[in-house]
Amino acid sequence: MRTLLLLLLALLGAAAAAQDQPMLRVAGAGHHAAIRALAHDARGELWLTVSEDKTARLWRGRQLQAVLRPPIGAGQEGKLFAGALSPDGRLAALAGWSAGNDIYLFRCADGQLLARIQGQPNVVNQLAFSPDGRLLAVALWGPHGVQLWRGEADWQRPQFAGADNDYADSSYGLAFSPDGRWLASSAHDGRVRLYALGADGLRRQAEQKLGGPLHGLQFAPDSQRLAVGHAELPQVQILRTEGLQPERLLRGTGSGGLSQVVWSPDGAELRAAGSWRQGAGRHGLMRWNRQGQAQGGPQLASDSITELSQLPDGRLAFAAADASWGWLGPDGQLQTQGSARTDYRALAGASLRVSADARQLHWSGWGAQAFEFPAFAWRPPAGELRAAVQGRPGAQLRDWRDSSKPSLNGKPLALEPGEVALSAAVDPQRPRLALGTGWKLRWFDLQGRELWQQDLSAPCFALALSADGRFIVAGLGDGTLRWFRARDGEPLLAFYNEGRAWVAWTPDGRYSAGEGGEALVGWHLNRGADQAAEFLPLARFAERHDDPQAVFAALGGEASARPVTDLREGLRLPPSVQLLGPEPDSRLREPGLALKLQAQDRGGGVDELRLYLNDKLVERLPARGLRRAGSALEAQWQVRLQPGENRLRALALGLDRTESQAAELRLVYDAPPPRPSLHVLTVGVNRYRNAALNLSFSVPDARGVAGLLRQTGARLFERVQVEELHDEQATKAGVLARLQALRQTREDDVVLVYLAGHGDTLKDDWYFVPHELTNPEQPERLAEGGLSSRELAEALRQMPARKVVVLIDACKSGAAAVGFRGLEERRVLAQLSRASGTHLIAATTKEQLASELGQLGHGVFTYALLEGLRGKAAAGGPEVTARKLMVYVEQALPELSKRYRAEEQFPVVNSTGMDFPISLK
């Protein structure tokens, strides 16, 4: 069905040009739309996958090497349908749907665009390199036939070498003979054509009419025969190369076309696949031996097989419309690289359900977990979640799935030519219905009048309506969920996940993310027709655009007061940065090392350099203090390495605080690692100078953490040093003095800082309220007398210790308990972790309840911490590490808080440092 959709798309006419404005795009671990082409080098080591998601990817085995990004635009502009890899693996050719129908030639070594072949008469369906890599064949949509190009100057100046446009329909199949003498093509006009290759380009030698839409084809290893697949029928035709005389028609059982064909390395067996299936969602292989006996092969994918390729070592490679690819080994073992996106197709038992306000949602493929706003957390579904209905009295919807002719109460609902309906939702209470199609979301009244329509970035496979009538939620083929305002179709919010990693974002680029989800979506920026596009993950914009409150505001929450730039209007490229030093993976005998850093302005200026060692921030260098070396800014970095592995990382920030791509260097210092020491600083304030602020169990909580680590630390650390500050001791000066004393730590030491008391957020800072601050509700007093997250981050940076955990149990003071200020705290506390390169676990509450102290002996947050440190966070291992503790608290705290506080509490967790053990089980 997806193949049919692809063919129908071309009826819509010319594509729009690639756009200059930034575009938000999904960029997960794999492709998120149908893979249309797969290629490999002659040795089967480097792989190329080409997708309708507008990217191509280079792999070694199943390890991603690079993402190739040609210029793209809105809608269909930039979808890739064709790709080829030169036999030596140096060059990747890509093409598909673009305004100029261009062919892009990328250099595989660095992913840069080497050349562009312009001006094809229509969409490019197929590409193929000759066995010697000197020729590139092109198959075109419509009656435009095939072209041949020759690589001059190592393909930097491609030269036209011939064409045949005497075709009656689109060409989809291209194959060079292994001996390099012939080029064959197949087309949907039912004909196979054979060309001789010579100095004068293409010379048609033979033509054979077989009938029906012919698709893929391949020469036998000896170049004497040619196998041709059929787009719609389960059959393969074998022709003799000489004269294209038919030799045998091979038929399979079942339904669907065998459009892709391939020979075994010895030519003894023919394999075919395509839309042919052994059952719903079961697409596999058909095989024939020399005698023409057919046998079904293993299942390969859940959607049509779009490419087959035979490797010299006997592996059979495939790609599929479900965005998966892989290979079948000679031993029958299947290796698959699937898409990690959520598949919202209406497979058996699939359903999308949402709460009445669309703030909680559940997809059947997520198992027992739903996602909830504003908790920004996975949790078991709570309350009534409603799935879409496709009819009710007075609203009889027919032919709405996989149909170009849906109807309502017997009247057709108008669609564009080639547009196919895929999903529908009828409002049970209001006279409205939504229809999702291959590229649009449409909103109708019950008379069939269209109220609005919205273009989509991918097919709409699932729909749900909020019971309050405000939102339409759409599940798209790119793995995203999209919220639209029912009143006028305005896009409000998007959500994407891969497993538990998630990210939600608004159209202007503000976002919230968890478990690394900020790397899964980003801004695609075209850099002109002759350059590869730039991709900037959302994580690069964290300092200004990580904004949970703005995300929640899209669903009716309190609006964020923070002014931010709308990144759709344009963005400036952040700087580039280089880290110059020894060769990567060098083994050094001395710990001292001098490195050089260079930052290059690429349009957005240079504001600051940041230097990390084993993920902890160790240096911040303002640009105004750097010397200029030509067009670059330059700095020296004196670093002291730790025994063993050292991961060095440099970042440059632009004037708008957008981060550069990191420059990284791995080095090994050959020295025996010393046994580390543990340094603990706990701060708890129950009694404030202003008695109205007094709390109940900040001090017991702080003593509990200090006591447990003092007791258990000796088993793991050479020395345990614990400093405690309580009540009158916990002044701002006192806390800062203890933090400054930790500058005496060693690089291998572990530092744990625990803060319990009042805390509050002011603009872009979080403040811990010390004992002497009497009026924290007054912003000027809080800014002057509170311990800010900036001061805390700087103190952490100055510590030589690279392994740092910060634990914060903060009760909000005064007016801070009003509204949705907790979302602001999520933002600034996560920024504290990012800015210092440390692990952070924090929880904030409106008040402390005596019931927690009476039943647990501690507040629920500290109780969860202590239980984790005692061993429950070890996850079956012998030790509790920083990241294991984060995972445990994140899972345990909501359940504990609901039990003892009657409402769920969700911690802020953020990890930017290296993992390390804190306690033993």
Side-chain angles (χ1 to χ4, degrees), residues 398-400 402-407 411-413 415 419-421:
R398 297 285 185 268
D399 300 323
W400 57 269
D402 296 344
S403 169
S404 60
K405 298 180 179 179
S407 65
K411 295 173 58 177
L413 297 175
L415 302 182
E419 188 179 4
V420 175

Side-chain angles (χ1 to χ4, degrees), residues 735-757:
V735 175
L736 284 174
R738 292 299 190 276
L739 289 170
Q740 290 168 2
L742 292 172
R743 295 180 188 177
Q744 305 305 313
T745 56
R746 300 177 306 188
E747 286 87 350
D748 285 276
D749 288 348
V750 172
V751 172
L752 186 145
V753 177
Y754 175 91
L755 303 176

Side-chain angles (χ1 to χ4, degrees), residues 64-84:
L64 181 65
Q65 301 295 299
V67 180
L68 307 180
R69 300 183 186 275
I72 67 171
Q76 313 306 319
E77 171 69 19
K79 284 190 173 182
L80 297 174
F81 303 150

Side-chain angles (χ1 to χ4, degrees), residues 249-310:
L249 178 64
L250 302 175
R251 297 183 185 275
T253 58
S255 61
L258 292 170
S259 56
Q260 307 300 321
V261 294
V262 69
W263 298 85
S264 63
D266 60 3
E269 186 175 83
L270 186 67
R271 295 92 179 257
S275 60
W276 179 81
R277 56 199 175 275
Q278 297 162 303
R282 298 177 59 218
H283 294 261
L285 286 175
M286 278 294 299
R287 295 172 165 174
W288 292 270
N289 59 20
R290 290 187 189 275
Q291 291 73 43
Q293 295 170 322
Q295 179 183 0
Q299 178 182 341
L300 301 178
S302 64
D303 208 335
S304 297
I305 306 300
T306 56
E307 190 85 73
L308 289 177
S309 181
Q310 185 66 58

